[in-house]
Amino acid sequence: MESTYLQKCLGTCLTQGLAEVARIRPVDPVEYLALWIYKYKENVTMEQLRQKEMANLERERELALIEQEMMERLKAEELLIQQQQLAFQLELEMQEKERQRVEELHRAQEQLEKEMGMNIENIPTSEDSSHSEDITPDSGKTLAEISDRYGAPNLSRVEELDEPMLSDIPLSWLPSEDYASFREHKPV
């Protein structure tokens, strides 16, 4: 029983200490063995503290890695959310522009229909046929004078002459000398 106790509690320590005493051969081996055992106990305690510190450092390092991964995921999610918000804002802007364009087209169509309605009202009916004859080009008015609309072309009056033109005569009927003189004297 005593040997079991000594082997359990002092086995390695006592064996190593006695081996050290035998190797060194100090003057006072009992005092040397006592100091060596105290130093051994201090070294064992320091080793245990160092192992605990290493375990704590390893645990803290793992926690730091987990926290870093979480921060990276949060940053990635934040970036994704910002991209989604930007895409959503762009979509809203596009919808707003499309809505404005549709409204502008609708307004332009209403204005066109309004103008068409005004033009239809200005078209003479069969009752006003005598009045429409007064507005014909024979009356001497130009198209700009007939039209009340803003931006109507200002066309001058063109009169046609009933004279036959040389262009009415086929060129194959002209002799080659006449054709050359025709080309020189052709009115521009």
Side-chain angles (χ1 to χ4, degrees), residues 26-184:
V27 177
D28 189 6
V30 174
E31 186 180 349
Y32 184 84
L33 181 61
L35 290 174
W36 191 90
I37 290 174
Y38 281 126
K39 183 67 175 171
Y40 180 83
K41 173 67 174 159
E42 186 179 317
N43 288 344
V44 168
T45 306
M46 291 298 278
E47 182 65 24
Q48 289 174 347
L49 285 175
R50 189 183 67 78
Q51 287 178 355
K52 284 181 183 178
E53 286 178 6
M54 291 297 287
N56 285 339
L57 287 174
E58 185 66 27
R59 198 174 315 117
E60 288 177 9
R61 186 180 70 81
E62 289 173 0
L63 290 174
L65 286 174
I66 291 171
E67 186 176 341
Q68 183 180 4
E69 289 174 2
M70 289 290 284
M71 292 298 286
E72 288 174 359
R73 270 192 244 137
L74 286 174
K75 286 180 182 179
E77 287 177 7
E78 184 178 341
L79 181 63
L80 180 64
I81 289 171
Q82 287 176 351
Q83 289 175 347
Q84 288 174 346
Q85 287 176 345
L86 181 62
F88 182 69
Q89 288 176 348
L90 289 173
E91 181 68 27
L92 286 177
E93 289 175 6
M94 293 296 288
Q95 288 176 354
E96 180 65 23
K97 287 180 181 178
E98 182 66 22
R99 186 186 60 79
Q100 289 175 353
R101 187 181 69 79
V102 167
E103 285 179 1
E104 289 175 7
L105 287 173
H106 185 65
R107 277 190 231 122
Q109 186 177 11
E110 286 177 354
Q111 177 131 6
L112 184 62
E113 288 174 358
K114 215 184 267 185
E115 289 177 4
M116 292 298 288
M118 294 173 92
N119 287 342
I120 290 173
E121 290 173 4
N122 291 338
I123 295 175
T125 58
S126 60
E127 297 170 0
D128 296 334
S129 61
S130 61
H131 179 66
S132 66
E133 292 173 0
D134 294 339
I135 302 179
T136 58
D138 295 336
S139 65
K141 292 185 179 180
T142 64
L143 184 60
E145 292 170 339
I146 295 171
S147 174
D148 298 1
R149 293 182 45 197
Y150 173 76
N154 187 9
L155 301 175
S156 61
R157 189 167 178 194
V158 177
E159 294 182 20
E160 287 190 28
L161 301 175
D162 290 336
E163 301 175 8
M165 305 253 331
L166 286 178
S167 62
D168 294 339
I169 303 171
L171 296 177
S172 61
W173 291 358
L174 292 174
S176 60
E177 301 92 29
D178 291 338
Y179 178 69
S181 65
F182 167 72
R183 287 193 56 162
E184 291 172 6

Side-chain angles (χ1 to χ4, degrees), residues 7-19:
Q7 193 168 5
K8 179 182 168 190
C9 295
L10 296 173
T12 42
C13 171
L14 192 55
T15 307
Q16 288 176 1
L18 289 173

